[in-house]
């Protein structure tokens, strides 16, 4: 068996993805591709008003149309509960008002569904939806979180006076007040993190089938977390045992957070399939996705940073109003609290910090996690404020950063904001690498020269840190974070009689290439051929429980669960080999896919031979059960804290306000990379979403609560021509938290980028006296900043 | 209802369609060619791009009856069964896709681009694909994938 002896490690290699052949040939299987015999189609009747009482619904015209099977309203579905609130966070005033399957009595946002039409085909369903007559009594609406808490503002929910969902704080208020009061320099700035629409290219939907004979539901769903959806839908919405629901996520066309949450369509397709005895499909169109599926960010903050004239930061005080939308989405309160306030210090040692957050209902789409989820809001705020501070004291922004970095020897580092200590970090090498790549040494001279010619160049630096794989469950439970469950992951590995390895995972890849990455890990751990490892996911019937894929947690938590299952397989294989080779178990070593006797490499059994022996079970050691089949439940001891430096160079045209992004350099550190090709792809995509926030995107409501950016015609998702060439590099600082040393890479690009571009734009505009600019830096906004409009 | 005959991926199909049926729905619902995707409702995203008589079109903006007598190529028919087009290879080699939802439309649009401009610059690739949105890749690897295909297609057959 020389094949395994000579096999090279596959971890760390940029191999192309095993997921791709079916996806590039049109053989993928996304939700809307699913067709079941007898399947019916749903079209929704949605509120055109942002805030209104429903006075009557007349379905008779719709019901009479040929091809229409049924029309239901919220009143028909009072036998199921509203959608669950799974993360109420500390400070929620027990007033989480979640949507029902269909709105009852009142609507609180444009697009709130009030009736569902079910027909034989989707065209008929849509026609009939237009024939449902709904009368509304319109109410005043409010879309701005700060206006919504003012006296006299329209009130959305009786249980939430002044529309306040929660008041939350972290840090030391007295210390922050003292630091600010006694500081040599204080800079205050309103910081707005605008509302964004995640925009996975595949919209959301569900297909539900009910089997009356067994009382079991099967639901195919666009989901990042099918096991969680099974739990929430059964235990909280339907009140049935978990095993009566099987959730399947097929290929998922991007998520970016929007597909984490438990949505009403999952419930109403289930309810209707049981009622009608036929499978029911609902797929939202893009404008429905924009109106009703979750949005991200939407913070209004007042930030104050304090420091000394020689560049030491001494305090930070932040007040934030976080827009939650018309209802409370699944984990809405966790994002602007734990994942934001507790990391607000960024990569800096700041002795006195206080953050206060008010969560607010408004007549807008629900706001929940969007790529980065809280950490982009935090890193944008601190990185803008550090640049403001540097400008105020006239110091190089790179130098201010250096002066305040947490130093390598200070890890594990406790930022005193309620997290477990930052695991590891070495911030300066990443900064130096990025500065060197951009040619920082002579940039300022070039910039000065260009200005003489009327050209306005700017350079922006962002040094970020973030939180991945939120854990451990005991910390989440003990610290009043309000998350309704732990956050471990599990995995099973079976080595079949033929030596083929099947891994099942509760993680849910939807573009991250986890099948490839996980197979690389397992192939090396067990010393088997990469092609002999199969990764299965997505079906709650065939996979162990998992909390799903978000928060850049699937390698650092899900992947480690797989590694631990492989460790258990190896332990059993060693024991079996000792028996077969008539050796002491302590003398058996497992390397390169075989168990051999220490010092006698010829006395060996391959993993294939051991799998066969374990499977036929003719001769097993005393007490050993047949088969190589092991499951692990992995609850990490801490989060991981990836970091990096991004630098961008822009040129602003003072005549038009147009921003040209000339260079984008990213030096990221996510620990060791299992597959550098995939890591780089994650970084690229994340960065363009952050650039999009800085320059292009913004969900805009008018004062009546109409979504003006309601389609892709109006909401500026960047094209290839609007996106820059990206130069990537990395440093490697392993995490001591897990045995793979990995940290996470899915969101880092987004967390590092928006402020990077804004710092560059504002640097370019500094000759015009511009100190801050809100995002997105559209030509109009930039022009007005230059020309004082 | 109207009866249409359309040659799709080299094979003739005769079907009854409602006059208002969109080409993308005809392909997906009646012919079960679900590789062509729908990502928007305003002809912005390009997930539904197919070739109609050799030119790329957004199949959400073409009626099925307009295709009577026409030839349509979808992602499923871009390369002969069991083979890959240079663009499909390029997207695989260069990690030009993540979730894969935009990819069929992106590849079909890129195929049309390379037909018109066999040796595009990076800038021409970026502008040539402006009608197709991708939310995962940031486009960097899509540009690399198209360049890979252009280079491969430039090599004369047999080399």
């Amino acid at each position: 068996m020389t094949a395994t002896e000579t096999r090279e490690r596959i971890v760390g290699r940029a191999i192309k993805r095993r997921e791709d052949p079916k996806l590039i040939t049109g053989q993928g299987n996304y939700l809307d591709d699913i067709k079941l015999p007898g399947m019916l189609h749903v079209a929704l009747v949605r509120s055109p008003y942002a805030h209104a009482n429903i006075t009557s619904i007349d379905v008779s015209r719709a019901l009479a149309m040929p091809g229409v099977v049924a029309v239901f309203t919220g009143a028909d579905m009072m036998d199921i509960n509203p959608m669950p609130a799974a993360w109420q966070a500390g400070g929620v005033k027990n007033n989480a008002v979640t949507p029902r399957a269909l709105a009852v009595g009142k609507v609180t946002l444009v697009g709130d569904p009030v009736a569902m039409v079910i027909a034989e085909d989707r065209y008929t369903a849509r026609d009939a939806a237009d024939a449902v007559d709904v009368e509304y009594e319109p109410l005043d609406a409010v879309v701005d979180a700060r206006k919504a808490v003012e006296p006299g503002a329209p009130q959305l929910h009786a249980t939430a006076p002044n529309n306040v969902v929660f008041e939350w704080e972290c840090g030391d208020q007295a210390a922050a007040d003292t630091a600010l009061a006694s500081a040599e320099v204080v800079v205050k700035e309103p910081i707005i993190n605008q509302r964004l629409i995640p925009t996975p290219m595949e919209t959301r939907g569900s297909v539900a089938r009910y089997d009356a004979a067994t009382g079991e539901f099967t639901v195919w769903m666009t989901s990042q977390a099918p096991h969680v959806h099974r739990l929430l839908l059964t235990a909280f919405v339907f009140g049935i045992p978990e095993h009566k629901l099987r959730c399947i996520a097929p290929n998922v066309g991007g998520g970016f957070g929007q597909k984490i949450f438990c949505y009403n369509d999952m419930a109403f397709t289930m309810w209707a399939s049981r009622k009608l005895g036929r499978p029911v499909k609902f797929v939202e169109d893009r404008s429905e996705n924009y109106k009703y599926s979750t949005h991200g960010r939407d913070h209004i903050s007042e930030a104050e940073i304090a420091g000394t004239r020689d560049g030491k930061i001494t305090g930070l005080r932040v007040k934030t109003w976080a827009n939650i939308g018309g209802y409370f989405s699944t984990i809405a309160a966790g994002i602007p609290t734990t994942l934001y306030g507790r990391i607000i210090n960024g990569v800096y040692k700041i002795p006195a910090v206080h953050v206060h957050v008010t969560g607010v209902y408004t007549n807008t789409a629900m706001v929940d996690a969007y790529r980065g989820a809280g950490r982009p809001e935090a890193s944008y705020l601190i990185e803008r404020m550090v640049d403001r501070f540097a400008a105020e004291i006239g110091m190089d922004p790179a130098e201010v950063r250096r002066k305040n970095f947490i130093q390598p020897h200070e890890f594990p580092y406790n930022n005193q904001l309620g997290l477990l200590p930052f695991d590891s970090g070495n911030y300066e090498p990443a900064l130096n690498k990025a500065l060197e790549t951009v040619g920082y040494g002579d940039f300022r001279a070039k910039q000065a020269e260009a200005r003489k010619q009327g050209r306005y160049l700017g350079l922006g630096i962002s040094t970020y840190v973030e939180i991945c794989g939120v854990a451990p469950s005991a910390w989440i439970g003990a610290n009043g974070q309000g998350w309704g469950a732990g956050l471990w992951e599990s995995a099973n590995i079976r080595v079949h009689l033929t030596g083929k390895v099947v891994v099942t995972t509760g993680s849910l890849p939807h573009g991250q290439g986890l099948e490839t990455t996980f197979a690389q890990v397992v192939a090396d751990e067990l010393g088997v051929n990469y092609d002999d490892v199969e990764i299965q996911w997505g079906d709650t019937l065939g996979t162990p429980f998992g909390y799903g894929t978000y928060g850049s947690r699937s390698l650092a938590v899900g992947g480690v669960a797989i590694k631990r299952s492989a460790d258990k397989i190896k332990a059993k294989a060693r024991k079996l080999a000792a028996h077969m080779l008539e050796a002491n178990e302590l003398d058996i070593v497992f390397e390169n896919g075989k168990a051999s006797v220490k010092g006698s490499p010829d006395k060996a059994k391959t993993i294939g031979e051991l799998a066969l022996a374990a499977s036929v079970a003719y001769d097993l050691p005393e007490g050993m059960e047949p088969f190589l089949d092991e499951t692990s439940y992995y609850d990490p001891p801490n989060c991981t804290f990836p970091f990096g430096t991004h630098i961008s160079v822009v040129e602003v045209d003072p005549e038009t306000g147009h921003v040209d992004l000339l260079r984008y350099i990213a030096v990221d550190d996510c620990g060791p990379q299992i597959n550098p090709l995939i890591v780089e792809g994650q970084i690229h995509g994340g960065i363009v979403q952050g650039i999009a926030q800085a320059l292009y995107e913004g969900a805009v409501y008018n004062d009546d609560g109409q979504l003006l950016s309601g389609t892709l015609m109006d909401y500026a998702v960047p094209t290839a021509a609007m996106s820059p060439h990206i130069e990537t590099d990395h440093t490697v600082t392993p995490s001591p938290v897990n045995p793979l040393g990995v940290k996470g890479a899915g969101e880092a690009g987004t967390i590092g980028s928006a402020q990077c571009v804004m710092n560059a734009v504002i640097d370019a505009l500094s000759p015009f006296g511009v100190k801050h600019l809100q995002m997105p830096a559209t030509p109009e906004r930039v022009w007005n900043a230059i020309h004082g409009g | 209802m109207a009866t249409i005959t359309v040659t799709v991926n080299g094979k003739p199909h005769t079907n009854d369609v409602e006059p208002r049926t969109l080409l993308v729905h005809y392909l997906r619902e009646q012919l079960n060619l679900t590789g062509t995707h729908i990502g928007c409702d305003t002809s912005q995203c390009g997930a539904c791009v197919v070739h109609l008589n050799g030119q790329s079109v957004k199949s959400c903006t073409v009626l099925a009856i307009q295709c009577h007598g026409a030839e349509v190529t979808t992602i499923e028919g871009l390369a002969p069964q069991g083979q890959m087009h240079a663009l499909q290879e390029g997207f695989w080699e260069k990690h030009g896709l993540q979730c894969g939802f935009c990819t069929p439309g992106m590849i079909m649009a890129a195929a049309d681009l390379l037909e018109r401009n066999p040796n595009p610059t990076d800038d021409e690739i970026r502008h040539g694909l402006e009608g197709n949105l991708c939310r995962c890749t940031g486009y960097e690897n899509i540009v690399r994938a198209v360049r890979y295909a252009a280079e491969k297609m430039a090599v004369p057959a047999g080399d």
Side-chain angles (χ1 to χ4, degrees):
Chain A
M1 187 67 192
T2 54
T4 51
E5 282 167 3
T6 57
R7 78 180 293 284
E8 285 176 23
R9 278 176 63 80
I10 196 164
V11 164
R13 282 173 51 194
I15 58 170
K16 59 189 183 184
R17 302 195 318 170
R18 55 170 55 191
E19 288 88 341
D20 292 354
K22 67 173 184 286
L23 302 178
I24 53 184
T25 54
Q27 307 302 315
N29 184 37
Y30 298 89
L31 183 93
D32 200 16
D33 303 342
I34 292 166
K35 289 172 186 158
L36 303 175
M39 187 173 78
L40 297 168
H41 298 264
V42 174
L44 293 174
V45 180
R46 294 181 181 273
S47 169
Y49 296 105
H51 198 194
N53 292 318
I54 304 166
T55 51
S56 73
I57 305 176
D58 181 354
V59 304
S60 55
R61 280 202 304 138
L63 209 46
M65 292 170 72
V68 173
V69 175
V71 184
F72 298 116
T73 67
D76 296 318
M77 297 183 193
M78 297 306 283
D79 56 337
I80 56 173
N81 295 314
M83 307 314 292
W87 194 356
Q88 303 214 13
V92 172
K93 298 166 183 283
N94 197 26
N95 59 7
V97 181
T98 59
R100 298 197 71 92
L102 296 171
V104 176
K106 181 175 167 168
V107 293
T108 59
L109 65 144
V110 166
D112 217 350
V114 299
M116 70 186 293
V117 174
I118 304 175
E120 298 288 348
D121 68 86
R122 66 176 77 202
Y123 281 38
T124 303
R126 179 61 70 88
D127 287 345
D130 290 340
V132 173
D133 298 306
V134 187
E135 284 184 23
Y136 299 92
E137 177 196 0
L139 303 168
D140 288 341
V142 61
V143 301
D144 177 291
R146 285 201 74 170
K147 289 181 183 159
V149 298
E150 285 171 5
Q155 300 290 298
L156 270 70
H157 301 293
T159 52
N162 304 315
N163 299 312
V164 172
V165 192
F166 61 81
E167 301 269 0
W168 179 92
E169 62 182 329
C170 73
D172 185 334
Q173 183 166 14
D177 290 348
T178 305
L180 277 132
S182 61
E184 289 177 18
V185 182
V186 174
V187 181
K188 182 173 180 174
E189 198 68 65
I191 301 279
I192 295 174
N193 202 296
Q194 84 269 32
R195 178 181 283 249
L196 301 173
I197 310 182
T199 319
M201 292 318 300
E202 179 203 35
T203 60
R204 287 189 333 88
S206 326
V207 179
R209 182 178 66 193
Y210 180 70
D211 183 339
T214 60
E216 289 172 7
F217 292 94
T218 304
V219 181
W220 290 260
M221 46 174 58
T222 49
S223 171
Q224 297 177 229
H227 284 278
V228 173
H229 291 147
R230 181 171 80 145
L231 171 67
L232 296 176
L233 288 164
T234 54
F236 297 95
V237 181
F238 279 79
I240 57 174
E242 278 161 274
H243 59 266
K244 291 295 182 188
L245 171 61
R246 173 184 179 190
C247 292
I248 302 172
N251 288 131
V252 177
F256 314 113
Q258 195 183 62
K259 294 172 182 171
I260 300 171
F261 317 117
C262 201
Y263 286 92
N264 57 355
D265 52 272
M266 298 168 184
F268 67 60
T269 53
M270 283 174 67
W271 186 92
S273 70
R274 183 170 65 183
K275 184 89 176 168
L276 300 172
R278 291 174 68 176
V280 174
K281 178 193 261 190
F282 170 76
V283 180
E284 61 183 12
D285 62 30
R286 178 59 62 190
S287 53
E288 290 182 291
N289 175 270
Y290 271 23
K291 284 191 191 81
Y292 192 78
S293 288
T294 53
H295 293 179
R297 315 223 158 90
D298 202 343
H299 284 197
I300 302 170
S301 298
E302 288 172 359
E304 295 165 279
I305 192 166
T308 62
R309 290 253 158 239
D310 65 354
K312 205 78 195 151
I313 302 168
T314 55
L316 179 71
R317 190 163 62 190
V318 180
K319 268 181 85 69
T320 297
W321 289 262
N323 199 328
I324 295 296
Y327 300 100
F328 188 103
S329 172
T330 312
I331 58 170
I335 310 308
T337 55
T338 291
L339 293 178
Y340 165 69
R342 298 192 195 283
I343 190 85
I344 200 91
N345 66 297
V347 290
Y348 312 108
K349 283 180 287 186
I350 307 181
V353 178
H354 184 252
V355 181
H356 181 276
V357 185
T358 308
V360 185
Y361 287 121
T362 66
N363 296 109
T364 59
M366 289 177 275
V367 179
D368 209 321
Y370 164 51
R371 198 173 196 168
R375 293 100 80 205
E377 295 89 310
S379 62
Y380 177 72
L381 186 141
I382 185 64
E383 288 300 290
R384 275 300 304 131
M385 292 308 288
V386 166
D387 254 36
R388 278 288 281 114
F389 173 60
E392 192 73 18
I393 60 172
M395 188 177 278
D396 178 346
E399 198 47 39
V400 172
R401 284 172 166 83
R402 261 187 242 283
K403 267 188 184 247
N404 292 280
F405 276 160
I406 303 160
Q407 294 301 311
H409 67 271
E410 292 170 311
F411 292 91
Y413 176 80
N414 187 339
N415 73 352
Q416 305 295 337
L417 295 175
L419 291 170
L420 288 171
F422 290 20
D423 59 345
S424 62
N426 192 1
Y427 302 145
E428 206 157 330
L431 173 64
N432 291 340
K433 229 174 184 179
L435 290 172
E436 196 178 313
T437 305
V438 79
Y440 196 62
D442 55 8
F443 177 80
R444 294 297 170 197
K446 278 188 195 161
Q447 183 181 38
E449 191 55 38
R451 278 177 190 164
K452 283 184 204 157
Q453 300 161 14
R455 293 176 55 221
Y456 293 89
L457 299 178
L459 183 144
I461 301 172
S462 156
T463 49
Y464 74 91
V465 62
E466 61 129 336
I467 314 166
C468 294
V470 172
S473 302
W475 173 78
I476 293 165
N479 286 272
Q481 303 302 304
W483 174 245
L487 273 173
W488 42 266
E489 284 298 323
S490 65
N492 173 270
I493 299 181
R494 272 167 287 166
V495 188
H496 287 276
L497 181 144
T498 54
K500 306 290 183 199
V501 180
V502 176
V503 181
T504 53
T505 170
S507 297
L508 199 288
H510 48 284
Q512 297 87 348
L514 296 179
E515 281 183 46
T516 300
T517 301
F518 287 172
Q520 287 178 267
V521 171
V522 172
D524 274 7
E525 289 294 328
L526 296 182
V528 297
N529 289 329
Y530 166 79
D531 289 333
D532 286 341
V533 181
E534 168 81 5
I535 309 292
Q536 297 179 345
W537 52 271
D539 183 344
T540 57
L541 190 64
T543 59
F545 189 92
Y547 283 93
T549 291
Y550 43 83
S552 303
R553 63 192 300 275
S554 286
L555 183 57
V557 189
V560 175
I562 290 173
K563 191 235 180 298
R564 287 163 65 108
S565 291
D567 288 342
K568 290 184 183 176
I569 293 278
K570 285 190 284 188
K572 185 167 178 178
R574 260 199 306 274
K575 195 171 290 210
L576 178 55
H579 177 73
M580 293 169 77
L581 297 167
E582 297 178 333
N584 187 325
E585 189 191 332
L586 296 173
D587 293 331
I588 300 286
V589 287
F590 191 101
E591 273 175 356
N592 287 328
K594 62 179 187 174
S596 60
V597 180
K598 218 181 287 176
S600 312
D602 294 344
K603 287 188 75 178
K605 294 286 174 190
T606 66
I607 185 86
E609 291 168 325
L610 293 164
L612 177 63
S615 186
V616 298
Y618 293 152
D619 180 17
L620 297 180
E622 183 76 25
M624 179 179 279
E625 295 177 359
F627 221 76
L628 295 180
D629 178 340
E630 298 290 346
T631 299
S632 287
Y633 292 81
Y634 175 63
D635 197 344
N638 193 357
C639 314
T640 59
F641 296 82
F643 60 89
T645 296
H646 290 193
I647 291 181
S648 64
V649 179
V650 303
E651 179 169 352
V652 174
D653 182 344
E655 299 299 317
T656 63
H658 177 79
V659 176
D660 198 3
L661 190 43
L662 302 176
R663 286 187 79 182
Y664 198 99
I665 294 152
V667 181
D668 295 279
D669 192 326
C670 62
Q673 300 185 4
I674 308 294
N675 185 326
L677 186 71
I678 289 176
V679 171
E680 192 192 31
Q682 291 294 308
I683 299 292
H684 287 160
I687 286 170
V688 169
Q689 286 186 21
I691 291 171
Q693 173 165 27
L695 296 181
Y696 309 122
E697 292 181 20
V700 180
Y701 285 91
N702 71 7
D703 288 344
D704 296 330
Q706 295 294 334
L707 180 61
L708 303 180
S709 56
T711 71
L712 278 167
M713 280 195 289
D714 313 295
Y715 186 80
V717 170
T719 65
M722 293 156 75
S723 306
H725 167 59
I726 297 166
E727 303 164 60
T728 58
D729 203 342
H730 59 272
T731 58
V732 179
T733 308
S735 171
V737 166
N738 63 67
L740 296 174
V742 296
K743 292 195 166 187
E747 294 159 296
T750 307
I751 293 164
S753 48
Q755 63 276 4
C756 177
V757 175
M758 288 308 292
N759 284 345
V761 171
I762 292 158
D763 181 45
L765 296 178
S766 60
F768 301 102
V770 175
K771 293 178 173 176
H772 183 64
L773 194 68
Q774 306 295 359
M775 298 185 289
T778 57
E780 181 191 10
R781 191 170 270 161
V782 171
W783 191 92
N784 278 325
I786 295 169
H787 299 275
Chain B
M1 286 287 178
T3 302
I4 58 169
T5 298
V6 188
T7 302
V8 181
N9 299 331
K11 201 173 141 196
H13 294 268
T14 300
N15 296 90
D16 290 337
V17 296
E18 277 191 71
R20 62 176 175 169
T21 301
L22 299 172
L23 175 58
V24 66
H25 285 140
Y26 171 68
L27 293 170
R28 290 180 50 81
E29 306 294 334
Q30 285 182 258
L31 303 189
N32 269 322
L33 292 168
T34 54
T36 302
H37 297 149
I38 301 170
C40 74
D41 41 17
T42 50
S43 295
Q44 247 74 39
C45 80
C48 65
V49 169
V50 299
H51 293 178
L52 177 60
N53 294 329
Q55 289 198 318
S56 69
V57 295
K58 289 180 172 172
S59 62
C60 70
T61 316
V62 176
L63 295 169
I65 53 167
Q66 290 175 282
C67 303
H68 179 56
E71 293 206 13
V72 172
T73 306
T74 70
I75 187 70
E76 291 93 339
L78 184 64
Q81 189 83 31
Q83 295 177 35
M84 278 193 197
H85 186 276
L87 274 162
Q88 289 167 319
E89 253 183 65
F91 273 71
W92 194 12
E93 290 291 334
K94 298 298 176 187
H95 190 26
L97 65 150
Q98 290 179 26
C99 82
F101 195 80
C102 77
T103 311
M106 194 69 81
I107 288 176
M108 296 308 285
D112 188 52
L113 168 68
L114 292 183
E115 192 69 35
R116 289 181 282 113
N117 181 359
N119 187 23
T121 63
D122 285 4
D123 210 39
E124 287 169 340
I125 294 170
R126 286 179 182 274
H127 280 93
L129 295 176
E130 265 185 319
N132 292 70
L133 295 176
C134 169
R135 192 58 156 169
C136 292
T137 64
Y139 303 103
E140 182 76 21
N141 286 345
I142 289 177
V143 174
R144 291 177 190 171
V146 176
R147 204 164 53 210
Y148 172 98
E151 284 163 14
K152 174 141 192 183
M153 288 161 78
V155 178
D159 275 22

